[in-house]
Amino acid sequence: MRIPVRLALAAAALAATMAPAPLSAELPASNPFAAQSPLFDQAPQFDKIRDSDYLPAFEEGMKQQRAEIDAIADNPAPPTFENTILAMERSGELLTRVSKVFFNLDQSNTNETIQKIKAEVAPKLAAHNDAINLNPKLYARVKALYDRRDTLGLDAEGKYLIERDRVGFIRSGAELSDADKAVLTKLDEEESTLTTRFVDKVLAATNTGAVVVDDRKKLAGLSEGDVAAAAEAAKERNLEGKWVLALQNTTQQPVLGSLTDRALRQRVFDASVKRGDGGADDTREIVARLSELRAQKAKLLGFPTYAAYVLDDEMARTPQNALKLMTDIVPAATGKANGEAARIQKQIDSEKGGFTLTAADWELYSEKVRKAEYDLDQAELKPYLELDRVLQDGVFFAANQLYGITFKPRPDLPVYQPDVRVWEVFDADGKSLALYYGDYFQRSNKSGGAWCDSFVDQSRLLGTKPVVVNNTNFTKPAPGAPALISFENATTLFHEFGHALHGMFQNVNYPTLAATPRDFVEFPSQFNEHWALEPAVFAHYAKHHATGAPMPDALVAKIKKAKTFNQGYMTTEYVAAALLDLAWHTLPPDAPKPEVDAFEKAALARFQIALPDVPPRYHSTYFFHIFGGGYAAGYYGYMWAEVIDDDAWSWFKENGGLTRKNGQRFRDMILSRGHSEDLAQMYRNFRGRDPIVQPLLEERGLMARPK
Ligand SMILES: [Zn+2]
């Protein structure tokens, strides 16, 4: 429910039903959020928006939507699709408008004022959404419509919208008795307290777990810069003259790729895996209680387990489906990891190491194997990867070949930062389709990583077209110098543009049916990455920035081979963590409170993924995603989406690859459809069957490619 209002109508409705609102509630017309942007496709008026415009727009936006929702809930007329479901879709136009711009800039171009506003507005927004989701009169109307949805004369999308609306309310607890609502609130509060405590304890354990080194010689293998950083970290802890090796959140520690002192490697590794497992910052009690209370919460809401509750709203739909896909990967992944271990042992033996490989040795010796067999010199590659060429002759070119779309710069539209670029995107028939913003360079006031977002979402009901933005953090070149990027950066461009295509091709009626769940959302983006190495696309963009010469074949072959390096280890550690997550969250509500270490050990053994040299990417006691963040029962989702994107890629390969016909089919059956139908069925319609894991195993080099 993130949408517009006819402002005039809303104001009229308000005036008719309430005492005159105080004047202060009105947003001055000078506020650029007060009305729809008059710019092309409602592009944000970045030349007019000032930081002082946000807060009043948020306040007024929430007030307006509250009034709209109350008017729907209190409407004396019997509920209809129009006066309830569509009215909800149309509500909150101003709030959506300001939120879209504000939260984008909070990520990409923030400042102290924006951060202060966010801190003030975030709890208010949470309360605002709760008030809508737990409004009993509103839910009663939705439920009444849901019960007779087959008699309302709706098309499939309209019917699906009612179903999704009902699910949203149910998941918030709308169907519970008042007593059970109180229990749910208590469980939610306890969960929130415990996850916060978990985060605090793991941070503390990670801090105190940092390894102190007395002897400079023991740091052999580290670069001068890393040694200096370790000395600095020691100084900060009043340990002058010593060195401190800080821990990262994963089980494996990057520093283990360099340290040549075996005893020190073991100390670092042990410090990592012991976080939260005993000591002052023990998290085991929290882990056990969280899994227990989540099972109770699921039961209250009518689900057998917490994973069943979470996955009911995902593409996977059931824990059994997610478990099957993960366990299908286990034999190939562990088999490959065992092969990698044997290769590493050979390396150790060839150096007369005289010891048997353990997890603490893996990073150092696999790095040696990488250098010997997979080495990829970025300095050699970069001259062939110039940002603008990769973008226009690679990313845009592939999209043109597949979907027929073309791009025209729109320097006339305002931007929030001078490096940001804007293109108008045209469909194959020449009609304007969308606006695409690109913000590619790193800045001190921009979040790290890369992402896709939107300023305006497509909706036929609201008559809006997509206004989409990609962000990356590439190093900005000196004035006049070419922007040369790594192959990983180039892949990132394809990835984020895959999200952008998903947004730009979206062709749904209702805003609520735009967002797709997290186990699906990375499918279009990861799928689009495949074109980066497609020969016809690659040859079109990978040219020397000065001479225009194509990248030598030997370099291309190295890029392809490097993709499969260490994939046995990486796949196994990931799947082990995903299976642990599912194990914790498929505990039935009446199960006895588990003992954490024993439970984890038994689960890994049960899934046949207990390799001593390849521990889970996170052990339970420091698994932030599931006990400290929002990924409980959802960690599988990253690889679920990868299974699907590789499976879809295999369809393209079977059907002639890069053609307009194939692209159109993918656009019509997947990219244009948002979440307007069941996603597993949507995929089945496209592929002719459910996804299978074999294509992923091939892409990751975990099994031989069929001839
Ligand atoms: Zn992504």
Side-chain angles (χ1 to χ4, degrees):
M1 256 179 294
R2 34 219 195 78
I3 307 326
V5 182
R6 311 295 130 221
L7 277 179
L9 271 184
L14 265 177
T17 55
M18 303 169 89
L23 279 178
S24 62
E26 307 266 335
L27 208 53
S30 61
N31 188 306
F33 296 110
Q36 274 180 8
S37 165
L39 297 179
F40 186 80
D41 281 358
Q42 300 182 33
Q45 301 179 79
F46 289 120
D47 51 342
K48 299 220 165 73
I49 296 168
R50 292 158 305 156
D51 288 345
S52 56
D53 294 322
Y54 293 122
L55 204 50
F58 270 119
E59 299 281 3
E60 179 62 17
M62 284 187 270
K63 187 160 175 270
Q64 281 184 8
Q65 191 176 32
R66 219 150 40 226
E68 288 157 6
I69 293 294
D70 286 348
I72 299 167
D74 298 337
N75 190 344
T80 64
F81 187 69
E82 176 68 38
N83 76 14
T84 301
I85 305 292
L86 292 191
M88 278 163 53
E89 291 294 301
R90 289 193 178 102
S91 75
E93 181 185 18
L94 168 58
L95 185 57
T96 300
R97 197 157 51 225
V98 61
S99 298
K100 283 285 185 188
V101 171
F102 178 81
F103 288 109
N104 260 291
L105 266 53
D106 173 53
Q107 292 285 296
S108 61
N109 208 41
T110 193
N111 60 43
E112 266 180 35
T113 311
I114 286 182
Q115 283 166 12
K116 261 191 213 138
I117 295 171
K118 186 166 82 162
E120 183 174 346
V121 139
K124 289 183 183 171
L125 282 175
H128 174 78
N129 289 329
D130 278 355
I132 295 174
N133 292 330
L134 292 174
N135 182 324
K137 284 191 275 183
L138 185 64
Y139 177 61
R141 294 177 75 90
V142 172
K143 174 76 165 52
L145 290 165
Y146 172 82
D147 288 343
R148 50 191 180 84
R149 64 195 181 284
D150 290 324
T151 65
L152 299 173
L154 297 172
D155 63 6
E157 195 186 330
K159 225 169 93 178
Y160 195 64
L161 176 62
I162 294 188
E163 290 168 8
R164 298 294 312 162
D165 276 350
R166 174 175 167 273
V167 164
F169 279 103
I170 288 179
R171 295 178 67 80
S172 306
E175 285 208 327
L176 299 182
S177 68
D178 284 347
D180 281 348
K181 269 184 194 166
V183 175
L184 181 66
T185 305
K186 271 207 129 144
L187 288 173
D188 281 342
E189 282 167 7
E190 189 186 351
E191 184 180 14
S192 157
T193 307
L194 287 178
T195 50
T196 306
R197 199 176 299 160
F198 182 87
V199 170
D200 291 346
K201 277 183 179 286
V202 174
L203 286 177
T206 302
N207 259 320
T208 52
V211 173
V212 182
V213 180
D214 299 328
D215 181 355
R216 167 79 169 76
K217 274 185 285 191
K218 293 207 165 115
L219 298 173
L222 288 191
S223 70
E224 284 306 317
D226 287 344
V227 173
E232 193 55 42
K235 230 186 242 172
E236 276 168 26
R237 292 167 192 241
N238 296 320
L239 292 167
E240 210 116 357
K242 299 188 180 186
W243 295 267
V244 166
L245 301 173
L247 297 175
Q248 307 235 356
N249 60 346
T250 49
T251 295
Q252 271 297 357
Q253 297 295 317
V255 73
L256 296 178
S258 320
L259 289 174
T260 57
D261 184 296
R262 186 154 193 253
L264 180 55
R265 284 204 301 277
Q266 197 62 53
R267 270 181 71 201
V268 171
F269 186 82
D270 290 345
S272 173
V273 295
K274 280 182 187 147
R275 279 174 293 167
D277 198 356
D281 301 302
D282 198 336
T283 58
R284 287 176 297 182
E285 189 57 31
I286 298 176
V287 165
R289 175 59 190 149
L290 272 174
S291 74
E292 189 181 57
L293 79 81
R294 283 171 177 165
Q296 289 164 1
K297 180 174 157 179
K299 187 182 176 190
L300 208 53
L301 292 166
F303 294 89
T305 65
Y306 187 75
Y309 160 70
V310 171
L311 271 65
D312 186 60
D313 209 29
E314 300 281 328
M315 180 182 177
R317 297 309 304 272
T318 67
Q320 290 72 28
N321 288 336
L323 278 167
K324 176 166 189 329
L325 221 65
M326 293 300 111
T327 50
D328 279 356
I329 295 170
V330 169
T334 52
K336 180 77 172 182
N338 284 331
E340 288 165 1
R343 174 65 189 87
I344 290 170
Q345 186 65 52
K346 236 165 127 185
Q347 184 73 29
I348 294 170
D349 295 345
S350 77
E351 296 179 16
K352 310 225 181 305
F355 59 86
T356 306
L357 166 73
T358 71
D361 305 314
W362 192 288
E363 296 292 281
L364 181 70
Y365 286 89
S366 74
E367 180 59 16
K368 294 182 183 199
V369 172
R370 191 186 69 77
K371 280 197 175 125
E373 296 180 7
Y374 297 84
D375 206 12
L376 203 53
D377 184 354
Q378 292 296 342
E380 253 184 287
L381 295 179
K382 280 187 173 181
Y384 296 92
L385 300 169
E386 195 267 311
L387 172 61
D388 231 44
R389 256 198 173 129
V390 176
L391 185 67
Q392 310 218 30
D393 295 346
V395 175
F396 290 178
F397 171 74
N400 173 266
Q401 298 293 297
L402 286 163
Y403 311 111
I405 57 176
T406 53
F407 302 79
K408 188 181 104 188
R410 287 291 304 260
D412 56 308
L413 290 169
V415 289
Y416 53 88
Q417 206 280 338
D419 289 334
V420 179
R421 299 157 77 184
V422 192
W423 286 269
E424 185 177 354
V425 183
F426 296 90
D427 222 329
D429 60 7
K431 282 196 188 126
S432 182
L433 177 73
L435 288 176
Y436 170 71
Y437 289 57
D439 182 352
Y440 301 114
F441 294 125
Q442 194 192 354
R443 285 190 294 277
S444 60
N445 65 346
K446 189 181 195 179
S447 298
W451 64 94
C452 178
D453 206 333
S454 59
F455 294 118
V456 183
D457 284 332
Q458 178 276 341
S459 158
R460 280 202 295 270
L461 178 74
L462 307 171
T464 48
K465 283 189 176 177
V467 179
V468 175
V469 56
N470 275 171
N471 270 280
T472 57
N473 268 283
F474 304 154
T475 307
K476 191 176 171 177
L484 302 180
I485 60 177
S486 67
F487 184 70
E488 197 189 336
N489 293 158
T491 307
T492 299
L493 273 184
F494 278 89
H495 178 104
E496 298 309 332
F497 197 72
H499 286 303
L501 287 171
H502 197 197
M504 294 193 292
F505 287 154
Q506 180 182 301
N507 189 12
V508 300
N509 287 315
Y510 311 119
T512 292
L513 298 184
T516 49
R518 64 187 169 198
D519 66 354
F520 186 88
V521 76
E522 294 302 322
F523 162 32
S525 53
Q526 292 177 170
F527 170 80
N528 205 54
E529 287 181 31
H530 289 281
W531 301 112
L533 270 177
E534 174 73 5
V537 177
F538 188 83
H540 201 253
Y541 74 81
K543 293 177 181 166
H544 196 279
H545 70 94
T547 66
M551 187 184 288
D553 287 346
L555 275 183
V556 185
K558 274 189 183 177
I559 292 178
K560 287 185 180 164
K561 190 176 174 198
K563 278 177 62 179
T564 62
F565 167 71
N566 210 34
Q567 283 292 341
Y569 187 99
M570 292 196 286
T571 309
T572 301
E573 67 159 2
Y574 170 87
V575 171
L579 285 169
L580 269 186
D581 172 25
L582 288 168
W584 278 117
H585 293 112
T586 46
L587 276 173
D590 48 5
K593 206 193 246 181
E595 199 282 301
V596 172
D597 301 297
F599 176 86
E600 187 179 300
K601 226 173 156 186
L604 294 174
R606 175 157 46 100
F607 294 123
Q608 300 180 6
I609 197 162
L611 303 191
D613 304 336
V614 190
R617 191 169 164 79
Y618 303 95
H619 279 292
S620 307
T621 56
Y622 53 90
F623 201 160
F624 267 118
H625 295 72
I626 66 167
F627 296 118
Y631 263 75
Y635 192 66
Y636 77 95
Y638 298 101
M639 198 163 285
W640 174 278
E642 190 178 325
V643 166
I644 296 163
D645 88 68
D646 287 341
D647 190 57
W649 175 245
S650 72
W651 181 90
F652 270 77
K653 285 192 291 186
E654 289 159 20
N655 288 279
L658 184 80
T659 69
R660 271 288 285 124
K661 186 165 165 249
N662 286 347
Q664 193 65 40
R665 186 166 185 277
F666 191 59
R667 173 176 171 176
D668 290 345
M669 301 184 82
I670 304 280
L671 295 180
S672 64
R673 306 185 73 90
H675 192 179
S676 61
E677 61 185 310
D678 177 80
L679 295 166
Q681 188 56 46
M682 182 193 295
Y683 187 78
R684 213 170 285 134
N685 293 342
F686 167 74
R687 189 62 173 101
R689 57 161 173 73
D690 286 327
I692 53 174
V693 301
Q694 275 69 24
L696 173 136
L697 302 182
E698 287 169 29
E699 286 291 323
R700 289 189 163 223
L702 302 180
M703 63 186 272
R705 255 166 220 279
K707 292 243 161 84

